[in-house]
């Protein structure tokens, strides 16, 4: 039997406003916020409001709504953090590295010659997250 969706996962709680996040973007279907254990400067997560565990059980209509937002956040992140590239990551199930079971896309700015930090490695200083969230918000507003 495949695993089911747990409505008390941490991203569902963030979406319901039960726990805080550094939110940078919201529309009718989608929210984006900073990853608290960033793999590089400006690492953000793009999350649909609709419940699904990951890509495998997602409604294709939700996937159609979220990818333009992933693109928007990636372009804004590249500008905000002056990155050389942007990596998009999306894990499905623990064997593939998934640790939070509500669909999300990682937007990871990449810098030439700078190795990426470990996945779910170290908690970022909240002041750094606040500053990076503001930089990303400003770049998103400028689009
Ligand atoms: P994964 O499910 O493996 O794709 O990754 C979940 C991501 O969520 C990791 O990169 C974590 O650093 C990040 N994360 C976990 N808890 C929070 C939280 N409360 N706010 C923001 N990011 C989080």
């Amino acid at each position: 039997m495949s695993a089911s969706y747990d409505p008390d996962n941490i991203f569902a709680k963030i979406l319901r406003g039960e726990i805080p996040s550094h939110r940078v973007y919201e529309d009718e279907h989608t929210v984006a916020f900073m990853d608290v254990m960033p793999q590089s400067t400006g690492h953000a997560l793009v999350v649909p409001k609709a419940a699904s565990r990951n890509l495998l059980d997602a409604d294709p209509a939700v996937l159609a709504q979220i990818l333009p937002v992933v693109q928007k956040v990636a372009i804004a992140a590249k500008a905000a953090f002056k990155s050389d590239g942007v990596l998009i990551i999306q894990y499905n199930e623990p064997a593939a590295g998934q640790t939070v079971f509500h669909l999300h896309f990682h937007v990871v700015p990449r810098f030439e010659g700078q190795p990426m930090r470990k996945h779910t490695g170290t908690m970022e200083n909240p002041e750094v997250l606040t500053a990076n969230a503001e930089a990303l918000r400003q770049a998103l507003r400028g689009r």
Side-chain angles (χ1 to χ4, degrees):
M1 202 182 85
S2 61
S4 59
Y5 181 80
D6 172 8
D8 282 329
N9 74 76
I10 197 140
F11 291 172
K13 289 182 177 173
I14 286 176
L15 289 168
R16 292 195 295 266
E18 292 168 9
I19 60 169
S21 68
H22 292 84
R23 208 172 275 223
V24 296
Y25 176 89
E26 178 165 6
D27 67 23
E28 191 186 348
H29 303 293
T30 311
V31 166
F33 50 85
M34 304 312 288
D35 194 305
V36 290
M37 290 175 263
Q39 292 187 255
S40 77
T41 299
H43 181 170
L45 300 166
V46 182
V47 180
K49 291 182 179 176
S52 81
R53 222 177 122 77
N54 52 42
L55 186 87
L56 304 176
D57 62 334
D59 179 343
V62 171
L63 301 179
Q65 286 155 353
I66 200 168
L67 208 56
V69 181
V70 173
Q71 180 191 37
K72 203 188 288 268
V73 174
I75 293 169
K78 188 170 184 294
F81 305 107
K82 299 186 174 37
S83 71
D84 301 302
V86 185
L87 176 65
I88 306 300
I89 313 172
Q90 194 279 313
Y91 303 95
N92 299 285
E93 299 300 331
Q98 187 177 8
T99 60
V100 176
F101 299 94
H102 180 111
L103 175 62
H104 55 279
F105 289 80
H106 296 256
V107 176
V108 187
R110 297 300 316 273
F111 303 87
E112 292 292 354
Q114 261 189 39
M116 213 161 68
R117 286 175 237 153
K118 208 169 144 305
H119 179 51
T120 65
T122 314
M123 284 292 277
E124 185 58 278
N125 179 333
E127 280 125 57
V128 172
L129 291 176
T130 299
N132 288 346
E134 187 48 33
L136 189 48
R137 269 184 223 114
Q138 271 185 30
L140 282 160
R141 261 185 238 124
R143 289 191 32 80

